[in-house]
Amino acid sequence: MLNIIASKLFELKSECNYRIALWKHARRLPALEERDRLIVDTLKQEGVYVTSITELGLDSTTELLKAARVQLSRMSAADNTPVGEKLPQIYTVTDVGEFSQWGREKRLLAIVENYIGLPIAFHGVHLRRDFPNTNQFGTLLWHKDSEDRRIIKIIVYLTDVEAHHGPFEYVPLSLTSLFSFNYYRIYHKLWQSGYLGIKDEQLKEVIPKKYWKSCTGPAGTVIFVDTKSVLHHGTLRTQQRDTLFFVYTANPPKRPELCTQYWDDTFPKPQLNTEAVVACKDDFCHG
Ligand SMILES: O=C(O)CCC(=O)C(=O)O
Ligand SMILES: [Fe+2]
């Protein structure tokens, strides 16, 4: 009992410190370009903002896409026969200049810091190939991430993503806001799952499917999402899907131990060789 009280007091103190830090840092936030203000405002309202890499127009985009194409050519192709539960193939590409340079573009950092409201940490980049699956498991279950109080993931589609490629899908924040009944019903279901996540059938009992937002889009689609606040998942697919995930939290995050996977040896790290970059000549490389 005493342990529970002590841990609740600790939690309360840490929440107060967090609120004070947000208040203090509000005056130090980096300037935002007008077009980026819309991204931050939409993130605050809906938890997600969808755009395209061309629309974003960052200087290092061409290099990023070239490097991604080279790395993808080294990954194993999907056998499109659906398997019950096949894990995605993930490479940590944080140490490869072209990826970290894009992730550290000044405009992106300003967007993330204005959203998170505190000094930020860019943890790294995963290049990810998701395979056909017939069962919901892992990140195919509806869940919320738990690295920090606010997290930004920037997802870049490297291939066209239609319904059968298993798009990123989410429930808009406005339908599950903190003081709504839905928030507590979902929280209860997540708790029952041991926070692993819930299946489509369970979510349908709270939020009808017509309100779920599926992020289909062509290669180059970019999704900004707060994966802590927004209930989300990847949908079941019959065709493979290739993506990049850039990950940011406050510095330090609430759960630093969950953030090391974006730069440590949890996943393999491919080496970029310049010859391969030069050899890469298809349209998307030069997009
Ligand atoms: O695969 C997806 O679209 C979602 C992945 C996910 O849940 C995450 O990275 O937090
Ligand atoms: Fe997630």
Side-chain angles (χ1 to χ4, degrees):
M1 185 66 183
L2 272 180
N3 278 352
I4 296 175
I5 295 172
S7 98
K8 289 284 168 215
L9 283 176
F10 178 80
E11 188 67 25
L12 193 65
K13 185 161 171 262
S14 127
E15 275 311 304
C16 287
N17 290 342
Y18 170 62
R19 299 279 150 199
I20 293 167
L22 278 180
W23 178 73
K24 282 190 179 159
H25 196 67
R27 284 162 286 161
R28 300 196 198 115
L29 292 171
L32 261 189
E33 290 186 21
E34 204 43 54
R35 55 182 165 166
D36 296 336
R37 168 78 47 203
L38 177 68
I39 303 183
V40 174
D41 290 348
T42 312
L43 275 170
K44 286 182 181 168
Q45 270 164 25
E46 290 300 281
V48 174
Y49 183 86
V50 184
T51 180
S52 79
I53 207 152
T54 320
E55 187 75 26
L56 267 179
L58 300 172
D59 292 340
S60 59
T61 294
T62 309
E63 284 73 32
L64 173 80
L65 295 179
K66 270 187 200 170
R69 181 56 65 198
V70 170
Q71 296 300 348
L72 287 175
S73 69
R74 296 171 175 179
M75 290 169 99
S76 57
D79 167 3
N80 279 329
T81 327
V83 176
E85 298 187 359
K86 182 162 176 173
L87 286 168
Q89 193 177 3
I90 296 175
Y91 281 106
T92 299
V93 290
T94 311
D95 296 339
V96 184
E98 287 86 343
F99 296 95
S100 57
Q101 213 177 322
W102 195 88
R104 289 183 205 281
E105 283 268 5
K106 206 165 161 230
R107 267 183 58 215
L108 285 187
L109 296 182
I111 292 168
V112 175
E113 186 164 339
N114 273 273
Y115 174 73
I116 288 183
L118 290 172
I120 54 167
F122 166 52
H123 294 288
V125 194
H126 277 167
L127 172 65
R128 173 168 170 156
R129 174 164 288 170
D130 283 275
F131 300 107
N133 273 306
T134 50
N135 295 352
Q136 280 192 288
F137 77 103
T139 54
L140 295 166
L141 292 167
W142 288 93
H143 66 281
K144 292 180 179 180
D145 295 353
S146 43
E147 288 92 331
D148 203 358
R149 296 175 173 90
R150 281 184 174 187
I151 305 165
I152 287 290
K153 287 193 179 173
I154 303 178
I155 307 171
V156 180
Y157 287 168
L158 297 170
T159 44
D160 292 348
V161 178
E162 294 171 36
H164 59 279
H165 300 102
F168 176 83
E169 190 171 45
Y170 69 99
V171 175
L173 212 49
S174 46
L175 298 178
T176 58
S177 58
L178 186 56
F179 300 108
S180 66
F181 188 41
N182 282 346
Y183 177 91
Y184 295 98
R185 288 175 75 195
I186 288 170
Y187 189 88
H188 183 70
K189 285 186 187 290
L190 286 172
W191 171 78
Q192 280 179 322
S193 78
Y195 297 105
L196 288 178
I198 56 181
K199 298 201 176 198
D200 286 356
E201 288 64 38
Q202 294 170 287
L203 181 60
K204 276 181 198 159
E205 292 165 11
V206 184
I207 312 271
K209 194 173 161 71
K210 65 176 178 187
Y211 296 115
W212 306 354
K213 298 266 187 209
S214 173
C215 299
T216 50
T221 296
V222 177
I223 303 162
F224 289 77
V225 50
D226 177 350
T227 51
K228 169 66 184 20
S229 308
V230 163
L231 191 68
H232 67 278
H233 74 151
T235 37
L236 289 174
R237 57 185 62 80
T238 53
Q239 297 279 316
Q240 77 180 40
R241 184 196 69 171
D242 295 336
T243 48
L244 285 168
F245 282 74
F246 295 79
V247 183
Y248 309 80
T249 66
N251 190 6
K254 192 173 178 187
R255 309 269 313 269
E257 74 282 7
L258 298 180
C259 301
T260 61
Q261 55 163 323
Y262 302 111
W263 49 265
D264 70 9
D265 292 328
T266 308
F267 301 103
K269 294 179 182 176
Q271 287 307 308
L272 192 66
N273 99 33
T274 0
E275 256 171 58
V277 175
V278 173
C280 174
K281 286 203 163 47
D282 69 20
D283 284 343
F284 188 52
C285 275
H286 297 98

